[in-house]
Amino acid sequence: MSDSKVEKESKNKKRRGKPKKSLQRYFDAEHGIRNHWWPALFSYELKEDDVQGITIAGERIGLRRANGKVFAFRDQCAHRGVRLSAQPTCLTKDTVTCWYHGFTYNLEDGKLCDIVASDNDPLIGRTGIRTFPAEELCGVIFVFVGDEDYETPPLQHDIPNKVGDDENLRTPCLQDEDALALGIHRDCLGDWRLAAESGGDPGHIMIHRKSALALSLDTALSLGEPVTGADSLRIWDKEWPKGITKFFDNIEPVMHRDDLNIHTYGKRPPDGLRVSLCLPSILFVENWPLPGMTQYEWYVPTTHGRHAYWQILVKNCPTEMDKEDFTLRYKNVWEDLALKAGFNDDDIFAREAMDDFYTNRNGWDEEQLFSMDQFVVEFRKLVHKYARGIQPPPNEL
Amino acid sequence: MSDSKVEKESKNKKRRGKPKKSLQRYFDAEHGIRNHWWPALFSYELKEDDVQGITIAGERIGLRRANGKVFAFRDQCAHRGVRLSAQPTCLTKDTVTCWYHGFTYNLEDGKLCDIVASDNDPLIGRTGIRTFPAEELCGVIFVFVGDEDYETPPLQHDIPNKVGDDENLRTPCLQDEDALALGIHRDCLGDWRLAAESGGDPGHIMIHRKSALALSLDTALSLGEPVTGADSLRIWDKEWPKGITKFFDNIEPVMHRDDLNIHTYGKRPPDGLRVSLCLPSILFVENWPLPGMTQYEWYVPTTHGRHAYWQILVKNCPTEMDKEDFTLRYKNVWEDLALKAGFNDDDIFAREAMDDFYTNRNGWDEEQLFSMDQFVVEFRKLVHKYARGIQPPPNEL
Amino acid sequence: MSDSKVEKESKNKKRRGKPKKSLQRYFDAEHGIRNHWWPALFSYELKEDDVQGITIAGERIGLRRANGKVFAFRDQCAHRGVRLSAQPTCLTKDTVTCWYHGFTYNLEDGKLCDIVASDNDPLIGRTGIRTFPAEELCGVIFVFVGDEDYETPPLQHDIPNKVGDDENLRTPCLQDEDALALGIHRDCLGDWRLAAESGGDPGHIMIHRKSALALSLDTALSLGEPVTGADSLRIWDKEWPKGITKFFDNIEPVMHRDDLNIHTYGKRPPDGLRVSLCLPSILFVENWPLPGMTQYEWYVPTTHGRHAYWQILVKNCPTEMDKEDFTLRYKNVWEDLALKAGFNDDDIFAREAMDDFYTNRNGWDEEQLFSMDQFVVEFRKLVHKYARGIQPPPNEL
């Protein structure tokens, strides 16, 4: 009888190993990547004088709107670490006060500027909480999560508005003057990297072929990406954001496999569909769910092993009537049919199904990527090469 | 004042220590033992074309019935590790397809034989998922969980049908032609080893003395095993399965302790009762709950710290009327009275009560076994000596 | 691009560090402190012949009342570690029996004195379970949790009845002949040390200023402790219990900060209020919620990261009518208004709000204590210096 150590060793022989070094920063980024802009809340979720607390990449971030402007700060009192947002207390327009012992911080620079019952305390002016750059764009509040001394890049560097630098390829985007952006965000199980890959991965389209969205629009979704479509990939790493696009308009999608008794149900392939994935973790789907619309998704790392799944549809609406019309259709059709049960809930199912393998079973070592995964591989390279920083675990923040 | 390190050391002095080496493989087997047959599902739980996913000893196993035959395979796509059973997709009779990207595996050998949208993919034929031997016996599907290159022993080697090689001692068993097996299985808290020990342990009978089963049948259950019964133990390690039997018909059970104000309630001791425990983890109780019946139990390691508790009653039913009669009595009497609230639920209570001690409090080192535990000790030796392999943790599978 | 190790190192630079050594035993005491008396149950919770199981500092303790007397013992059978209290079985007045295999222990010394089905077993008399000293005072059962060979100090050493040795400063206390003690205990999230600190911390009074208790009694609660009150602190470390008191009657509390638009609501500051915190982990609030009453609180370490929150109000009631009156008011007013929703539930909220910072985010290193925290700092010193022992983790008990 072999002894148990030998038994275990023999099990280990089959480990495949991965060329980890060439993607090391990607593999290190389980808590997120750093020095990027992330969506925090919809603008309507933060009303004047509201204080809300969120978590991005393990950072507890407080948001307050004062005189219309959004301020973001570490949501953790310097004193004993409670979240300021746990019981919002704002005594003046330019401060936020900790509900517990009255530590009062300046919203602009985070400095401790007062303590309610001890206004001459020697600690005043000598400590504080860090602040984060915050901006609003098209109804979404974005926060720059990174080093305090990092020179903050423009928000536009982290938001796609076209495929690379190709001005000819434009669909409605958040930066457009007439854009109306409507959507949702929710907390989901799963590593943010796997979520991003599962969103961008062209090979998984098969799971959507019977979706309510495809059936109701009579859209024929490919059973996956044909290998011949490999040249339909474009990487854009000259400017920000760095990303990769899959063109679906110059390939012949696989719609039927008669020998396997499988086919797709709709009649017409989607028109002008392009799927891009870019840093920090954004899916950008053009001409979707219908031509003339764009779907954005973010997979925002929150706490370890979870992410906020952001989904936004953008349409240009020059008139009030356009806005009303899109809003009506969004609430009554698209939210459910495109973003939830009719389509994207399938993606959430798939992401959660991957989780155990990567979390508990050496998925990063054991996975066997194949030709259809070029998109995934290129995204990993982009993260490794261009992420502006790797997020440490919460206890090192 | 002593410093805190010293304080801790003084606490440690009383550690008892265990002669661990002589039972090392038993102690290593927290994830299960390997290269054995385990019950997976009842046959009726896997209908034609069904795909079901189960977990045995950390192995995620998929089961499919095609043309009546049961196939078992690693329930984890070679590509990105999702469980195939999460959304069963069978496009042909001889394959199982991953619902996520269309990886299609041959049921016979697990080879990747197709990818839905990429039928010429170079990966095809070069990888696959492992398969497991599967057999059905008396309405139960068994799977052999072990090394792919292990020469699979006959299923009969892992299923008791008599006490050792003694042909005279036979009660109804799964291998009998006329046997009808009826039962249940459920997920329970607790290490599979402790579950097996608690099932076989003759000393715990006291907990059942007031059970509905004992009271309603007027069965007098011993307050435990008297030490004088030690010679009523028989170890059978010549053939498979390796096991140990406790005979209750040649000992004088303790029914009263008047000085302790305790007694047993029934009138007649059970007739012909024998309790056996054998590898991999099977309780085999003959002439129970009544003479002419046999109860099998398996404590199948599933995920860490949990087990599937299988309970089956077997009776020989040569005619259809016998079958109908036993089925009626099983559903209306035995399932509840013997397998659930009337008796075995007490065992589940006891197993769960042991858990904290062994899981969080050094139970393996601190336990103090005594004379009544010979059965337990012998079972541990059998595991150490004859287990065909030790299961590694899931991330080394 | 910097490599990820460097990125992490640069994050670490800002670690503040703590003069850990001078408080080492306090920091080591996450599982509790040892060789102290702790409240276990109210007397009425343990009726004659009852067996109850509780957990203090990771120790599983069983309590039984026999012939009126309370016995405490390790609630873990020496055999296989189940809690005796899981299914109380007492066959005689002077023993407790394990429900599982009949191990029977003498209540006085814990010795194994019998085994139900094996009354001549060689193990009898050779092993046992340890016992703990137990006493009742004013309707509360206290247990001494510590080393078996530690010379048990009098219960009075671990229960405050006045501020230090100052006989002039007395309010009703548990030791008083006429005292009636009424209260509750509950399981709460949070490290017992943080709970004690949050109870005693004078700076947190601000959170109670709008409490139902303060508003209904028209009590003006300070917005915190002014720094000028630092000389109102008295440390008493000559006798037991070792403790620290904050006098609120010789400071000028801050009731308004008009520049911050904040004020307190009641009209009269509390009369004669003194707040003491003493070992092992007791809050002692005199003349509260009204003059002539005393509130005791214990923050009893139970399992890791949790504590039992004990709250008791004491009033001297020389006559039966006094007792009836206080009982009526306690049940109809004080329990809810003082101990629960009207006041102390706010403290629970604050304690739980601190938890993540200390548990997951290096709170012990990152916290920034300030002038108002002298009370907290002194308590930590007392624990470091005078705790009679540091509790090891459960698997070393």
Side-chain angles (χ1 to χ4, degrees), chain B residues 107-238:
Chain B
L107 287 174
E108 286 286 355
D109 59 11
K111 282 250 170 78
L112 179 72
C113 58
D114 204 337
I115 298 176
V116 169
S118 180
D119 57 356
N120 289 313
D121 201 277
L123 202 61
I124 292 171
R126 300 226 322 266
T127 189
I129 51 176
R130 65 160 299 184
T131 58
F132 298 89
E135 281 190 34
E136 289 183 278
L137 177 67
C138 203
V140 181
I141 300 168
F142 290 87
V143 174
F144 183 77
V145 180
D147 303 315
E148 281 191 273
D149 54 1
Y150 195 92
E151 190 177 346
T152 312
L155 171 57
Q156 279 69 12
H157 280 198
D158 281 353
I159 297 187
N161 64 359
K162 58 184 183 297
V163 170
D165 52 0
D166 193 338
E167 284 294 337
N168 297 321
L169 296 175
R170 286 199 73 130
T171 54
C173 69
L174 290 176
Q175 289 94 336
D176 287 349
E177 197 179 343
D178 294 329
L180 179 58
L182 299 171
I184 56 176
H185 60 87
R186 43 188 157 164
D187 172 56
C188 288
L189 175 74
D191 188 291
W192 70 280
R193 295 167 294 184
L194 298 173
E197 290 168 19
S198 77
D201 160 21
H204 85 285
I205 301 176
M206 185 176 78
I207 70 171
H208 296 299
R209 74 190 190 284
K210 298 182 224 170
S211 65
L213 179 66
L215 294 175
S216 65
L217 300 183
D218 227 354
T219 303
L221 293 176
S222 168
L223 296 174
E225 176 206 24
V227 184
T228 53
D231 56 347
S232 63
L233 219 62
R234 194 183 304 172
I235 298 162
W236 19 292
D237 58 357
K238 303 277 183 298

Side-chain angles (χ1 to χ4, degrees), chain C residues 177-242:
Chain C
E177 197 180 345
D178 295 329
L180 179 58
L182 299 170
I184 54 175
H185 59 88
R186 42 186 157 165
D187 172 55
C188 287
L189 175 73
D191 189 292
W192 71 280
R193 295 166 295 184
L194 298 172
E197 290 168 20
S198 77
D201 160 21
H204 85 286
I205 301 175
M206 185 176 79
I207 70 171
H208 296 299
R209 74 190 192 282
K210 299 183 224 171
S211 65
L213 179 66
L215 294 175
S216 65
L217 299 184
D218 229 353
T219 303
L221 291 176
S222 168
L223 296 173
E225 175 205 27
V227 185
T228 53
D231 56 347
S232 63
L233 219 61
R234 192 184 305 174
I235 299 163
W236 20 292
D237 58 358
K238 301 278 182 301
E239 306 189 349
W240 285 98
K242 314 295 187 183

Side-chain angles (χ1 to χ4, degrees), chain A residues 1-5 7-8 10-12 14-16 26 194 197-198 201 203-207 209 222-227 254 257 259-262 346-347 349-351 353-354 356-358 360-362 364 366-373 376 380, chain B residues 24-25 28 34 55 58-60 74 76-83 86-87 89 91-92 95 97-104 114-119 121-123 126-128 130 147 303 384-397:
Chain A
M1 187 184 323
S2 56
D3 92 358
S4 60
K5 221 171 232 169
E7 291 177 82
K8 281 181 185 173
S10 73
K11 297 289 324 155
N12 278 329
K14 62 171 185 173
R15 286 283 162 282
R16 283 178 198 86
Y26 167 83
L194 297 172
E197 290 169 18
S198 76
D201 161 19
H204 84 287
I205 300 175
M206 186 175 79
I207 70 171
R209 74 189 192 284
S222 169
L223 296 173
E225 177 205 22
V227 184
V254 177
R257 277 296 304 277
D259 55 335
L260 290 179
N261 307 303
I262 190 173
D346 292 343
D347 292 305
F349 176 87
R351 262 177 253 160
M354 273 201 289
D356 182 37
F357 181 59
Y358 286 87
N360 305 317
R361 293 177 186 263
N362 285 347
W364 301 108
E366 299 283 343
E367 62 173 12
Q368 299 187 45
L369 301 186
F370 77 122
S371 56
M372 278 195 207
D373 288 315
V376 170
R380 292 179 175 185
Chain B
Q24 193 59 51
R25 296 177 80 245
D28 287 346
R34 197 167 171 80
T55 301
E59 297 271 8
R60 307 199 295 184
R74 175 162 288 171
Q76 182 176 293
C77 184
H79 179 212
R80 308 224 44 187
V82 297
R83 292 194 82 147
Q87 223 172 80
T89 306
L91 305 174
T92 69
T95 61
T97 292
C98 182
W99 50 272
Y100 196 3
H101 297 84
F103 277 50
T104 300
D114 204 337
I115 298 176
V116 169
S118 180
D119 57 356
D121 201 277
L123 202 61
R126 300 226 322 266
T127 189
R130 65 160 299 184
D147 303 315
T303 55
H384 172 70
K385 207 162 166 190
Y386 295 111
R388 301 192 192 111
I390 304 302
Q391 189 71 349
N395 65 350
E396 293 178 16
L397 286 174

Side-chain angles (χ1 to χ4, degrees), chain C residues 194-325:
Chain C
L194 298 172
E197 290 168 20
S198 77
D201 160 21
H204 85 286
I205 301 175
M206 185 176 79
I207 70 171
H208 296 299
R209 74 190 192 282
K210 299 183 224 171
S211 65
L213 179 66
L215 294 175
S216 65
L217 299 184
D218 229 353
T219 303
L221 291 176
S222 168
L223 296 173
E225 175 205 27
V227 185
T228 53
D231 56 347
S232 63
L233 219 61
R234 192 184 305 174
I235 299 163
W236 20 292
D237 58 358
K238 301 278 182 301
E239 306 189 349
W240 285 98
K242 314 295 187 183
I244 177 174
T245 296
K246 172 81 186 174
F247 292 78
F248 284 85
D249 48 1
N250 57 356
I251 59 172
E252 187 65 41
V254 178
M255 299 294 185
H256 293 268
R257 278 294 307 276
D258 292 334
D259 53 336
L260 290 179
N261 307 302
I262 190 172
H263 62 101
T264 185
Y265 294 88
K267 291 206 185 67
R268 301 176 305 271
D271 192 9
L273 176 64
R274 290 189 295 271
V275 177
S276 304
L277 191 59
C278 53
L279 294 191
S281 180
I282 312 170
L283 190 73
F284 178 64
V285 189
E286 294 167 286
N287 295 309
W288 182 264
L290 286 180
M293 293 167 71
T294 305
Q295 180 165 339
Y296 285 82
E297 298 188 5
W298 280 261
Y299 316 93
V300 185
T302 52
T303 54
H304 192 222
R306 302 198 70 86
H307 63 280
Y309 180 32
W310 277 76
Q311 303 163 269
I312 291 178
L313 294 178
V314 180
K315 194 173 184 192
N316 284 334
C317 300
T319 70
E320 278 307 307
M321 195 175 294
D322 291 338
K323 279 182 185 149
E324 266 174 47
D325 182 78

